[in-house]
Structures are given as structure tokens and as C-alpha cells.
Amino acid sequence: MTSLDPVLDKDGVRLTVEDAVATVTLTNPAKRNAQSPALWRSLTEAGRVLPGDVRVVVLRGEGKSFSAGLDRQAFTPEGFDGEPSFLDMARGPEAELDATIAEYQEAFTWWRRNDLVSIATVQGHAIGAGFQLALACDLRIVAEDVQFAMRETSLGLVPDLTGTHPLVNLVGYARALEICATGRFVHAEEAERTGLANLVVPADQLDAAARDLAAALVSPPRDAVVETKALLAGAVSRDYEEQRTAERAAQGRRLRDLAGITD
């Protein structure tokens, strides 16, 4: 992506905007873009400061790995500077722990807003929180060397950064359970075959593929894409007749808008 003056650049997260396309980059390749509460807060902030005319958000990681997951420093007694350690959090009141996890999850939720289409470009390792961050996006373009894995169970934990819902929707319950319970790697061929990846390309073509897809996504009228995304996202929870009704309502709104009719 074109290098522009960043809208935000802190704690391992950089946000740049070019016309209707924003790029969020994880910027700590020396640690394979390992994640921390500070990084999550910056990701949340990136979503809040997006200009209103942004239609597509591309998520990428610098270096050889997209994100190796949670920084293991979180599990040390000292934790991160200025942050409570995860061990201290576990000893605190249950309600406070729940609220803290909910705050962390905010970094993973805004990517599926109806007014945006988000694309994760994923190379190398996408482990645990890294896998869940890729799953937070609507679409995924992956490099041929991609290695997805959900390793939380090996630490005695569960995936809790919103990744379980999209994973089950994409690959089904049985495969999602097997992936999460074993912590095994999912490589590019399986990712594309099972729907985890929309496209597989050589690593040096990731940014170009994202540019091409972003250009295609901003080509149609914005309101039509917004309505279509909402229609498809809601299809999972609707039965056939409910989806027919939702289609009629959405098309009615589009036709009235094109005719210049306001309610």
C-alpha cells in the first residue's frame, strides 16, 4: 500500500488512509507482531478514528509473520509495563475480569461493521490471537506460506477474542473443534479449500492482491454494498422465508433511494 502520513501510529499499530481505502498495519516484526493489551487498545482506536468516507480496510503485518499471537510476557508475574499481569487479573473479582476481556475484544469487533469491508492479508504465522484477528475480518488473502493455528488450549485457555463464531461459520463445528482442540497448523491449501481464505498468492503479491480487491470493492455504489453485506451477514440467523423478506425490504430501500423517494 502507498505510504502516507499515518492517522495513528502507536503501540505496534499504524493506520493510513488513501481515499476510500484504509490500511491498518501491525508494525513490530522483530516480535512477529505479538499482541498485547496496548496493541489491542490501538486497534480499537483505529476503528474509532476511521474517516467516514472509508469503505475498505486492509489489515496487514510487517515482516515474515502476520502475528504470532499473544505476547507470552502477559503470563509472567510482572506482565507488561503499566499493565496488570494476566495472573493478577485472574485473582481479581470475576466481574472485573469479564469487563477487561470485553475491552480486549473491542479490538476484534469493528472490522465487520456493515459500512466497511475488511480484508486481512496474512503471511507466515497467524497463531492464537493472530488467527482470531484474521478471522475478525470479512475476507482473507493469504500467502502460500501461511500457518494458521489456534493454540489457546495448549496454554489451558480458550479462544476468547471473537474468533470462534466466524471459525465455525466458515469451516463448520466439527472441523473448528478439531482445529481448536488440537492446535494444529492449517496451511494455505486447506485454508482455501475450507473457506478460511478467499485467495492464496505468493507472499510478495499480498499487497498487490489486496489493492486489486479493494479497488473492486469500492467500484459499486456504497449503499448497495452496505445493504448486501448486511443481508448476507444476517442470513446465518434467518430461515429461508425470513431471508426472502429481508431481501425484499433491502431491495425496496435501494429502489426508493435510486428513485429519489424519501420516507
Side-chain angles (χ1 to χ4, degrees), residues 137-216:
C137 293
D138 297 304
L139 309 172
R140 279 153 296 283
I141 302 173
V142 307
E144 293 168 336
D145 68 348
V146 75
Q147 298 184 67
F148 290 115
M150 205 73 84
R151 289 291 176 82
E152 283 80 357
T153 54
S154 67
L155 301 173
L157 303 172
V158 301
D160 67 334
L161 296 172
T162 78
T164 57
H165 190 275
L167 183 62
V168 171
N169 284 342
L170 287 167
V171 306
Y173 161 76
R175 189 180 296 269
L177 174 59
E178 181 247 336
I179 288 171
C180 292
T182 64
R184 70 170 176 86
F185 285 117
V186 177
H187 298 95
E189 184 279 330
E190 182 182 356
E192 186 173 37
R193 174 169 47 83
T194 59
L196 278 173
N198 297 84
L199 181 66
V200 177
V201 299
D204 61 0
Q205 297 180 22
L206 272 178
D207 286 347
R211 283 195 297 270
D212 290 345
L213 181 53

Side-chain angles (χ1 to χ4, degrees), residues 64-67 122-127 143 145-148 203 206:
K64 294 183 178 180
S65 291
F66 173 74
S67 174
V122 188
Q123 79 282 5
H125 295 95
I127 310 298
D145 68 348
V146 75
Q147 298 184 67
F148 290 115
L206 272 178

Side-chain angles (χ1 to χ4, degrees), residues 3 40 44 52 57 103 143 153 158 173 178 198 205 223 245-247:
S3 178
W40 294 333
T44 300
V57 182
E103 178 188 344
T153 54
V158 301
Y173 161 76
E178 181 247 336
N198 297 84
Q205 297 180 22
D223 288 345
T245 301
E247 289 175 359

Side-chain angles (χ1 to χ4, degrees), residues 2-10 13-18 22-25 27 45-46 49-51 62:
T2 303
S3 178
L4 304 171
D5 292 336
V7 177
L8 179 147
D9 193 355
K10 65 179 184 180
V13 175
R14 182 172 63 243
L15 167 65
T16 57
V17 178
E18 184 177 11
T23 302
V24 176
T25 303
T27 61
E45 185 178 351
V49 302
L50 278 180
E62 290 183 344

